Amino acid sequence: MKTTNAKQTFILNLLDKLVTPAFGCTEIGCIAFATSIASENLKSPLAKATVYVSGFIYRNVINVGVPLIGKIGAKGIAAAGFIVKQSHKKLLILENVSKTQVNLIKKLADTNKIKVVVQKHCDPVYVKVIAKDTNGNRCDVLIERKHDTVKHIRLNNINLPTETYTKTKSTNLFQPKFDVNDISLTDIYLTIKKVKIKDLDFLQKGINMNEDVANFPTRKNKYFHPIHEKLSWQETVLAHTFNAVASRMDGCPLPVMSSNDSGDHGLTVNLPQFVYHQKMHTTKLAMFQAIALANLITWKIKKNIGSLSAYCGSVVAAATGSICGIGLQRNYNINQINELINYCLNFFTGVLCDGAKISCAWKIESALSVGFKALESIEKKFKLNGEGINNVDAFKTIKLIGGLSKTIMNTTNEKIIDIIDYNLKR
């Protein structure tokens, strides 16, 4: 087995771009980022605005807690961007909202000035703002494909530069030499196994951020799991990850290190590796390599199923990646990692996303529990042998599942939104 130096460079550069800080659900930041840009470019106070969002964006913000503000829905989040006006913070835009601003946000959301429309037949990551001020000026803003990628800003039909709003850690300026389908499991595995600790020490920041969230649960919620030394490594992994995800979905006022544009993905791939390292006394290099593998497996799956999908990405992609990371810390070889991906996808494919909310923590906890069973099956040398949805090559399995996600699952997502809206009106 071997991989080229060019691919190794690409994979390591890619890894650095996959991990970015986020405050609150990333779809919250996406909407507020867009409305903030519009507000900053208008000349007078807001008169009215229409905010078009994809069904995937809408689904993820409707029931989630917004840090420092509460559960305010898509209209309230759009209002937050118009009030806060700090687009330079991008997805961290709402991290320091004052009490005065919270009152103004809720007041604006209670008016008829803002309308939110679910846009069909668009990219899953899609927010378009058409805003007018009291003097008749109009500003249009479009974010598409990635949560912080500004496609255009137009003031009174004149294009404004978007360079100011490009990502600080510029994924968009990173020109890949390889398509996702060019990167094999061999390429990823061998690259990760060859790196030195200095190549991956930037991942420590994410561990610190995500551990802070795991240790900051909303104590009033009776479902948070107590953590103590007598817990097994499996129980400790579940407790840390559950508490972090539930706290974040409930509006924890701390940023997290995301993975593949999702804070919950970041918690799911990151915390289990850190806990396993601590409980089982693996080396720091092994932990960093495991986090790297988890992020890259998540990337491979997300690039196939879509950045936002009717599939639960935190389960189908991030939990699969995370279990593979633990497998790497247990010294699994490439064939065992291949089997592990297939095990996880055999169980996880079909888990639906019905929006970001506190119950996401249960889905992720359940997925990791199943993943532990997959680890046991690998060590008992049980093989799936390319049955059902599983190809013998796990990366081909990923591609086949991606075909499902990008066809029938779009219709599924529309039905999920109908159910969510029905339940909200109940």
Side-chain angles (χ1 to χ4, degrees):
M1 293 189 301
K2 64 180 182 178
T3 188
T4 66
N5 289 334
K7 283 188 177 181
Q8 290 174 5
T9 300
F10 167 76
I11 289 167
L12 291 176
N13 285 337
L14 171 66
L15 176 64
D16 188 43
K17 309 300 183 292
L18 292 178
V19 292
T20 53
F23 186 74
C25 172
T26 40
E27 283 70 58
I28 291 172
C30 185
I31 294 175
F33 180 37
T35 56
S36 179
I37 293 171
S39 185
E40 290 166 357
N41 284 286
L42 290 174
K43 308 297 184 181
S44 304
L46 179 69
K48 63 178 181 179
T50 303
V51 181
Y52 299 88
V53 299
S54 73
F56 299 94
I57 296 280
Y58 178 79
R59 176 199 69 192
N60 277 5
V61 302
I62 203 69
N63 287 309
V64 74
V66 180
L68 306 173
I69 304 175
K71 190 185 290 187
I72 56 174
K75 187 177 178 181
I77 294 162
F82 280 115
I83 296 298
V84 173
K85 300 183 185 181
Q86 294 199 51
S87 64
H88 65 280
K89 291 186 176 181
K90 302 177 178 65
L91 300 185
L92 299 175
I93 185 171
L94 301 181
E95 67 177 344
N96 291 311
V97 180
S98 68
K99 290 183 179 180
T100 300
Q101 288 174 323
V102 170
N103 291 332
L104 292 172
I105 289 165
K106 291 180 177 179
K107 185 177 178 179
L108 177 57
D110 286 340
T111 69
N112 294 320
K113 290 184 177 181
I114 300 173
K115 181 181 179 181
V116 175
V117 177
V118 177
Q119 180 74 35
K120 294 186 178 181
H121 311 299
C122 62
D123 192 86
V125 179
Y126 181 94
V127 177
K128 182 179 181 180
V129 181
I130 300 175
K132 292 184 178 180
D133 66 21
T134 53
N135 285 328
N137 296 295
R138 170 175 164 165
C139 185
D140 297 12
V141 177
L142 175 62
I143 290 178
E144 192 174 33
R145 299 198 67 181
K146 292 185 71 66
H147 293 70
D148 54 1
T149 297
V150 182
K151 289 292 186 178
H152 70 238
I153 306 167
R154 295 184 183 130
L155 182 61
N156 298 326
N157 291 320
I158 298 173
N159 287 322
L160 301 181
T162 60
E163 289 78 9
T164 306
Y165 305 98
T166 55
K167 220 173 182 182
T168 302
K169 204 175 186 181
S170 183
T171 301
N172 302 313
L173 297 180
F174 172 59
Q175 299 298 323
K177 296 179 180 178
F178 300 98
D179 181 79
V180 61
N181 294 319
D182 296 328
I183 303 301
S184 68
L185 179 57
T186 298
D187 296 325
I188 292 174
Y189 183 86
L190 293 184
T191 298
I192 295 307
K193 292 295 286 185
K194 287 178 67 175
V195 295
K196 297 179 181 179
I197 198 165
K198 65 180 178 62
D199 299 315
L200 299 176
D201 58 7
F202 67 91
L203 296 171
Q204 184 64 52
K205 182 179 179 181
I207 295 170
N208 297 341
M209 290 176 69
N210 292 352
E211 262 295 283
D212 285 345
V213 176
N215 293 317
F216 190 83
T218 307
R219 296 298 177 185
K220 64 182 180 181
N221 192 310
K222 64 182 178 180
Y223 298 111
F224 282 100
H225 301 334
I227 298 174
H228 51 80
E229 291 182 0
K230 293 183 179 180
L231 295 179
S232 67
W233 72 261
Q234 293 96 330
E235 292 169 326
T236 311
V237 164
L238 296 180
H240 273 248
T241 310
F242 179 94
N243 288 354
V245 175
S247 187
R248 180 171 181 267
M249 293 292 94
D250 202 35
C252 172
L254 294 175
V256 300
M257 187 62 75
S258 70
S259 170
N260 292 268
D261 294 321
S262 167
D264 280 3
H265 293 11
L267 296 172
T268 303
V269 303
N270 189 307
L271 291 173
Q273 314 315 319
F274 172 70
V275 171
Y276 188 87
H277 159 69
Q278 282 204 319
K279 296 288 284 189
M280 304 305 290
H281 308 293
T282 61
T283 66
K284 198 167 186 179
L285 175 60
M287 176 187 68
F288 282 157
Q289 289 174 327
I291 293 172
L293 180 69
N295 274 285
L296 290 163
I297 296 296
T298 302
W299 166 77
K300 182 75 174 184
I301 298 172
K302 286 296 293 283
K303 291 292 284 186
N304 277 274
I305 67 172
S307 54
L308 290 172
S309 168
Y311 283 137
C312 175
S314 292
V315 169
V316 178
T320 299
S322 193
I323 293 299
C324 290
I326 292 174
L328 194 72
Q329 290 200 74
R330 292 166 78 89
N331 295 314
Y332 283 15
N333 62 37
I334 190 170
N335 293 325
Q336 290 173 307
I337 296 295
N338 183 83
E339 284 291 310
L340 200 51
I341 294 169
N342 264 336
Y343 271 111
C344 290
L345 293 178
N346 191 274
F347 285 113
F348 299 161
T349 301
V351 177
L352 299 178
C353 176
D354 59 341
K357 55 199 174 337
I358 199 167
S359 63
C360 294
W362 280 296
K363 284 186 180 180
I364 293 168
E365 180 183 34
S366 298
L368 291 173
S369 296
V370 170
F372 300 155
K373 296 294 183 182
L375 293 167
E376 292 177 11
S377 297
I378 292 293
E379 289 167 11
K380 291 177 181 177
K381 299 184 178 180
F382 180 82
K383 290 184 177 292
L384 291 171
N385 296 319
E387 300 168 341
I389 65 168
N390 293 110
N391 189 280
V392 174
D393 182 341
F395 272 25
K396 288 183 179 178
T397 303
I398 292 171
K399 190 171 182 178
L400 293 168
I401 290 170
L404 281 175
S405 179
K406 292 178 179 178
T407 52
I408 61 173
M409 297 305 281
N410 285 334
T411 303
T412 301
N413 191 66
E414 291 178 7
K415 296 299 182 184
I416 290 171
I417 292 169
D418 289 342
I419 293 169
I420 292 171
D421 283 341
Y422 173 81
N423 288 335
L424 286 171
K425 295 170 183 176
R426 189 179 53 183

